[in-house]
Amino acid sequence: MWHRGLTCLTAIALFGIQLPILARESPPLLYAILAIGARQLERKEKAQSSFDSLELYEGAIRLLTPPLQARDTYFIAACVVLCCLEMFSASTQDWRHHLEGCAAVFDAFRVNGFSGGVSQAVFWCYALMDVCGALISDGTERTLLEPAKWLPNKTPENLAETLFRSTGSPDMYANYAVYLCAKACELISDRSRYVKLGEENGCDFPVFQDRSAKLWEKLSNWSLYCPKELPSVYSTVSNPFPHIFFAHWAAMSSNQLYHTTSILLLAANPKLKGAGLSPTTSFIWHAKIICGISLANPHEGCLNNAIQPSWIAGRLLSHSSEQALVVKTIRHIEALTGWTAC
Ligand SMILES: *[C@@H]1O[C@H](CO)[C@@H](O)[C@H](O)[C@H]1NC(C)=O
């Protein structure tokens, strides 16, 4: 069974158990699940045609269209599964287009990252795709669903950390890393629109400095004060990349996103490097760890989320042996999961 999501077990439970159970009562969801399964098989087996998945996909769409009033979990779940399917094989230029529909659905139905139940699990599956889409835009785009809408209505931004932490779940703390990455994309895109397009969004130099320093501190706190499940259990100092092993399913992708977000912020605001000698202010340190995480944790559900971080890290590494290893890793992920990566 193909699965995707920030945390492997959540994704396995969602795609492998919860959605199939819901699908008993929802033909469009059933079609959507069968379509994504078929598409993954076709891609992994390098099938010549994608006839089966296309037919199932069309079946799902046909069934989804008439009752548009369907303001329910089935509808939202089917939309996200179809979006996953589209992202799976789409060129990156088409990603935003595919994500837009989902963003509108979450917005309209006011489903957020704390809605509970299957909707919440489906939301985080979507949120991660949205962040990946923003990551590959190179600082020009923010997430389609703005991070404020990831939290319950009218939650003040400074309560976000408490909110994620108070769930007591390592999965939700891992999702907090996704949220922080979305905040970084939002900040960087605000700044670039202010500078390059003259957009009046208030992100002048002092505001930018202030916002980036605060976000950097939150990010540092994410790593300093994370629950015991999330730090690595073992790491090596091997060359060119350290091997970093994790025990908990929530740990791998969230740490990789933490390092990716660090790179984004350091690149956007060199002042963050400060005078400190801490390795956390070094691009290369973060980049090597990102690669080391992909190499040492070959779990399929986690590797799905390693593509964009590996791409961002790979661009910072200058030695040809390091670059070759990054390319190999990305090719490996593509072969193993069927995701279009190259
Ligand atoms: C980071 O954590 C420290 C210690 O808990 C806290 O005092 C500080 O306010 C936190 N910073 C941010 C930006 O949340």
Side-chain angles (χ1 to χ4, degrees), residues 216 220 223-224 258-259 262 266 272-286 289:
W216 179 257
S220 309
S223 154
L224 279 174
Y258 155 75
H259 291 290
S262 301
L266 287 170
L272 293 173
K273 288 190 176 148
L277 289 172
S278 158
T280 59
T281 59
S282 153
F283 285 127
I284 301 296
W285 184 77
H286 289 292
I289 292 186

Side-chain angles (χ1 to χ4, degrees), residues 161 214 217-218 221 225:
E161 186 193 348
K214 284 216 181 83
E217 199 183 316
K218 284 188 186 139
N221 278 2
Y225 306 117

Side-chain angles (χ1 to χ4, degrees), residues 204-251:
D204 60 13
F205 188 67
V207 168
F208 174 69
Q209 289 293 331
D210 185 55
R211 281 174 65 185
S212 55
K214 284 216 181 83
L215 192 53
W216 179 257
E217 199 183 316
K218 284 188 186 139
L219 192 64
S220 309
N221 278 2
W222 183 88
S223 154
L224 279 174
Y225 306 117
C226 64
K228 62 180 188 316
E229 289 86 353
L230 296 190
S232 63
V233 287
Y234 183 70
S235 56
T236 69
V237 284
S238 45
N239 259 323
F241 305 128
H243 285 200
I244 321 264
F245 297 93
F246 293 101
H248 195 282
W249 55 84

